[in-house]
Amino acid sequence: MATERTHSGPYKRAVRIYSRYERFWHWSQALLIAILAFSGFGLHGTHSLMSFETAVGVHTIAAIVLIVLWIFTTFWHFTTGQWRQYLPQRAGLFDVIRFYAYGILMGSPHPYHKTLRRKQNALQSLAYLTFMVIIGPALWSTGIVYLAYPLWSDLVTGQWFFVLVVFVHTAAAFLMVTFVVIHVYMTTTGKTLTHYIKTMITGYETVELSEIEEKYLEETQPDMIR
Ligand code: HEM
């Protein structure tokens, strides 16, 4: 649907900012991380809702599926250029931190406005970058070493290496759970409690478009704009 433009400044339109693949990997990653946390803390002994053998089997299969998903998704990020969304930026970082520290409690407006080129605010980019370059790699690297235990157990004298691997894996698992809790809380701070969740389901969000971006999308990808 074309909209009459009454001024030449940024214009707000509902744009599909999350493609089908992006939504697919987001929700399947969320499901796999939930399964891994549940089975991992089951075999760690935090709960006894699953037998040890079942927990090991479920954890191993889910871990392999998640690693395959991460490989495809890394490839997708580089082929689509979407990796640029995660580049850290200082501009606006402290405004966003101030907003979440106290502005949000006083009803201040969110200082960040999504654009097509930058879907995330500076704090979000920093959090996702930490997830992708620290927490994720710490889990899959130690997890793979843990899986390969029978291959290296005879080569290392004593238990120190095994203890180190388990320690780093468990510490990263706690960081992952912390990340998920904060992330889920953040998803409830939109216009309504479920606004951001709906965006990740439908893909559509209201963003500011320049006149050129609006015309370009209307002509080349009309299904991306509502
Ligand atoms: C991404 C790839 C991952 C791989 C390859 C992996 C692999 C493994 C392996 C092989 C074990 C030991 C199983 C056994 O005792 O036989 C393990 C344990 C564990 N994993 Fe993972 N895992 C991954 C991700 C995760 C995630 C995302 C979490 C939680 C958010 C997690 C939490 C745990 C916990 C808490 C343990 C128990 C540590 C212990 O006390 O021994 N893992 N993992």
Side-chain angles (χ1 to χ4, degrees), residues 39 41 61 63 73 86 110 154 175 188 200 209:
S39 55
F41 285 106
I61 294 169
T73 304
Y86 301 93
H110 200 297
D154 290 342
L175 285 179
T188 65
M200 200 32 113
L209 292 180

Tab-separated table of all heavy atoms in Angstrom, residues 39 41 61 63 73 86 110 154 175 188 200 209:
chain	number	residue	atom	x	y	z
A	39	SER	N	18.768	-30.343	29.846
A	39	SER	CA	19.479	-31.630	29.934
A	39	SER	C	20.849	-31.457	30.587
A	39	SER	O	21.273	-32.285	31.398
A	39	SER	CB	19.607	-32.265	28.545
A	39	SER	OG	20.222	-31.359	27.655
A	41	PHE	N	21.858	-29.174	32.868
A	41	PHE	CA	21.770	-29.034	34.325
A	41	PHE	C	21.188	-30.308	34.956
A	41	PHE	O	21.403	-30.549	36.139
A	41	PHE	CB	21.006	-27.762	34.725
A	41	PHE	CG	21.858	-26.529	34.521
A	41	PHE	CD1	21.633	-25.650	33.472
A	41	PHE	CD2	22.943	-26.285	35.350
A	41	PHE	CE1	22.460	-24.544	33.256
A	41	PHE	CE2	23.779	-25.187	35.148
A	41	PHE	CZ	23.537	-24.306	34.099
A	61	ILE	N	22.651	-34.921	21.235
A	61	ILE	CA	21.954	-34.719	19.947
A	61	ILE	C	21.645	-33.231	19.746
A	61	ILE	O	21.938	-32.657	18.692
A	61	ILE	CB	20.670	-35.578	19.873
A	61	ILE	CG1	21.066	-37.058	19.844
A	61	ILE	CG2	19.839	-35.226	18.639
A	61	ILE	CD1	19.915	-38.020	20.039
A	63	ALA	N	23.130	-30.686	21.008
A	63	ALA	CA	24.369	-29.926	20.805
A	63	ALA	C	24.824	-30.031	19.348
A	63	ALA	O	25.204	-29.033	18.741
A	63	ALA	CB	25.457	-30.439	21.743
A	73	THR	N	24.086	-20.577	10.016
A	73	THR	CA	23.715	-19.197	10.317
A	73	THR	C	24.912	-18.256	10.158
A	73	THR	O	24.753	-17.125	9.690
A	73	THR	CB	23.090	-19.129	11.724
A	73	THR	OG1	21.997	-20.040	11.742
A	73	THR	CG2	22.587	-17.742	12.054
A	86	TYR	N	25.832	-6.377	13.818
A	86	TYR	CA	26.400	-6.650	15.147
A	86	TYR	C	27.648	-5.837	15.448
A	86	TYR	O	28.206	-5.959	16.533
A	86	TYR	CB	26.742	-8.154	15.273
A	86	TYR	CG	25.528	-9.026	15.079
A	86	TYR	CD1	25.205	-9.546	13.836
A	86	TYR	CD2	24.670	-9.299	16.144
A	86	TYR	CE1	24.082	-10.323	13.644
A	86	TYR	CE2	23.545	-10.079	15.968
A	86	TYR	CZ	23.261	-10.589	14.715
A	86	TYR	OH	22.145	-11.358	14.539
A	110	HIS	N	11.767	5.469	24.392
A	110	HIS	CA	13.003	4.755	24.069
A	110	HIS	C	13.875	5.658	23.197
A	110	HIS	O	13.388	6.224	22.217
A	110	HIS	CB	12.674	3.452	23.332
A	110	HIS	CG	13.794	2.460	23.377
A	110	HIS	ND1	15.015	2.703	22.808
A	110	HIS	CD2	13.888	1.228	23.956
A	110	HIS	CE1	15.809	1.669	23.022
A	110	HIS	NE2	15.152	0.758	23.725
A	154	ASP	N	43.784	-40.494	27.560
A	154	ASP	CA	45.054	-41.181	27.842
A	154	ASP	C	46.269	-40.284	27.630
A	154	ASP	O	47.361	-40.577	28.104
A	154	ASP	CB	45.205	-42.406	26.914
A	154	ASP	CG	44.203	-43.487	27.291
A	154	ASP	OD1	43.685	-43.413	28.426
A	154	ASP	OD2	43.944	-44.359	26.449
A	175	LEU	N	26.373	-18.399	32.224
A	175	LEU	CA	26.316	-17.112	31.516
A	175	LEU	C	25.208	-17.139	30.466
A	175	LEU	O	24.489	-16.157	30.253
A	175	LEU	CB	27.651	-16.810	30.833
A	175	LEU	CG	28.788	-16.360	31.737
A	175	LEU	CD1	30.048	-16.125	30.917
A	175	LEU	CD2	28.415	-15.066	32.464
A	188	THR	N	10.069	-7.923	26.825
A	188	THR	CA	8.769	-7.485	27.358
A	188	THR	C	8.704	-5.965	27.515
A	188	THR	O	7.717	-5.436	28.001
A	188	THR	CB	8.494	-8.123	28.734
A	188	THR	OG1	9.476	-7.621	29.654
A	188	THR	CG2	8.545	-9.629	28.688
A	200	MET	N	9.295	-10.805	16.146
A	200	MET	CA	10.162	-11.935	15.790
A	200	MET	C	9.341	-13.091	15.213
A	200	MET	O	9.900	-13.964	14.569
A	200	MET	CB	10.975	-12.350	17.025
A	200	MET	CG	12.214	-13.140	16.759
A	200	MET	SD	13.111	-12.834	15.230
A	200	MET	CE	14.622	-12.131	15.786
A	209	LEU	N	12.081	5.105	7.536
A	209	LEU	CA	12.685	4.925	6.209
A	209	LEU	C	12.933	6.292	5.603
A	209	LEU	O	12.120	7.208	5.779
A	209	LEU	CB	11.713	4.188	5.283
A	209	LEU	CG	11.384	2.726	5.569
A	209	LEU	CD1	10.410	2.225	4.520
A	209	LEU	CD2	12.643	1.885	5.560
